[in-house]
Amino acid sequence: MHIVLLGAPGTGKGTQAQFISKEYNIPIISTGQILRNISKETTNLGKKINKIITNGKLVSDEIIIEIIKNHILQHKCKNGFILDGFPRTIVQAKYLKSIGIKIDYIFEFILPKNIILERIKQRKIDPKTGLTCKNLINFNKSSNNNPENTKKLQTRSDDRDEIVQKRLQEYEKNFVHLKKFYIKEFKNKNLEYYEINNLNEIKNINTKIKKIIKKYQNI
Ligand code: AMP
């Protein structure tokens, strides 16, 4: 099963990706996470990517396609995968199609901009795993309420207000074309496309996604 999660930064794609991954036992390929890991390396590529990310720009299609290719080909992806953050451009979407990946579902997460900004402001990452801690209450639970761990949480370098605005602009600019492309695929019955209002409670969205998948997969 191949699933693509679309939506602006901060719309909750990562949270739902983790739910879907556990529920259906398929891995998540998060290009943002992969790129953040590479950006920590002291290689030329690492430095280049770090500069792009911290400026709220998109990494070039050539670079990201080379990276994603290696992940898709991994053995763990043989039963499918969830793409979180890819494709971001029409070139990337066409690339996926050109290598014969049959996308089963696209979930587009939608949130008003003021809520996105608010959520991103609160977002922290665990520096060890690079994973996003949605909120401190959950993180405190998972870290056994150890205040030392909470202190270590970091804000993503690209989650600063002015950079978030740039990322949102970059997203919107490309998304118009991306959505057009996938709606056409949907009309041609090549995939299922669902818009998900992410203002709902997380568990309600989990249920909605499960229902949609059940409808088509007879699970
Ligand atoms: P994300 O965590 O998905 O918000 O991604 C963080 C940053 O990584 C983005 O702002 C881009 O700089 C870069 N990035 C992630 N995915 C892609 C992609 N598919 N194409 C280009 N750049 C990407």
Side-chain angles (χ1 to χ4, degrees):
M1 181 158 59
H2 299 123
I3 299 179
V4 169
L5 306 182
L6 298 179
T11 45
K13 299 186 297 295
T15 305
Q16 290 305 324
Q18 285 180 29
F19 162 75
I20 300 169
S21 172
K22 274 201 197 113
E23 190 70 28
Y24 302 103
N25 201 22
I26 47 175
I28 305 168
I29 304 178
S30 157
T31 45
Q33 189 61 46
I34 295 167
L35 290 169
R36 274 190 292 284
N37 289 341
I38 300 177
S39 75
K40 287 184 201 141
E41 295 168 4
T42 50
T43 56
N44 281 342
L45 181 66
K47 288 179 199 157
K48 189 174 171 179
I49 289 178
N50 186 42
K51 201 170 162 198
I52 297 170
I53 291 182
T54 38
N55 279 306
K57 298 271 177 205
L58 286 187
V59 169
S60 73
D61 288 325
E62 291 73 24
I63 293 179
I64 195 69
I65 285 173
E66 197 51 42
I67 293 172
I68 202 96
K69 193 191 289 175
N70 294 329
H71 281 80
I72 288 174
L73 292 176
Q74 283 176 11
H75 179 73
K76 65 173 186 180
C77 289
K78 70 178 187 334
N79 293 327
F81 49 75
I82 303 155
L83 287 176
D84 170 3
F86 187 96
R88 281 276 226 287
T89 65
I90 197 86
V91 173
Q92 295 174 18
K94 285 185 176 164
Y95 165 75
L96 267 189
K97 195 173 177 182
S98 74
I99 58 166
I101 299 290
K102 155 99 181 69
I103 298 171
D104 298 290
Y105 305 97
I106 294 193
F107 296 113
E108 179 199 338
F109 294 99
I110 298 171
L111 261 189
K113 194 169 170 187
N114 60 327
I115 310 272
I116 290 181
L117 294 174
E118 212 173 282
R119 286 195 183 177
I120 292 184
K121 214 176 241 172
Q122 292 173 8
R123 185 155 78 172
K124 297 276 178 210
I125 55 166
D126 180 344
K128 255 198 207 153
T129 59
L131 289 176
T132 301
C133 307
K134 253 196 78 54
N135 60 49
L136 287 177
I137 300 166
N138 284 349
F139 180 75
N140 284 340
K141 264 192 226 153
S142 67
S143 68
N144 298 325
N145 286 314
N146 181 346
E148 284 313 305
N149 288 340
T150 314
K151 265 191 238 158
K152 288 182 199 143
L153 288 180
Q154 292 173 352
T155 300
R156 263 171 60 172
S157 62
D158 59 345
D159 273 354
R160 284 172 296 131
D161 251 1
E162 69 279 17
I163 304 298
V164 171
Q165 296 286 357
K166 276 198 202 168
R167 288 167 61 205
L168 288 173
Q169 276 168 13
E170 194 79 14
Y171 178 82
E172 280 159 17
K173 191 174 77 189
N174 288 296
F175 186 65
V176 184
H177 308 290
L178 203 56
K179 182 154 182 175
K180 223 179 186 178
F181 177 83
Y182 280 130
I183 290 296
K184 196 168 168 203
E185 291 290 293
F186 165 67
K187 286 186 177 154
N188 289 336
K189 300 198 177 351
N190 291 335
L191 50 84
E192 297 301 327
Y193 193 109
Y194 282 89
E195 290 177 349
I196 309 250
N197 173 357
N198 224 355
L199 271 177
N200 277 316
E201 282 214 19
I202 293 178
K203 61 176 190 322
N204 293 344
I205 297 164
N206 295 164
T207 311
K208 185 168 181 176
I209 291 177
K210 258 173 86 171
K211 262 192 198 155
I212 293 169
I213 295 181
K214 193 171 178 187
K215 184 167 151 199
Y216 294 96
Q217 309 264 321
N218 278 329
I219 292 174

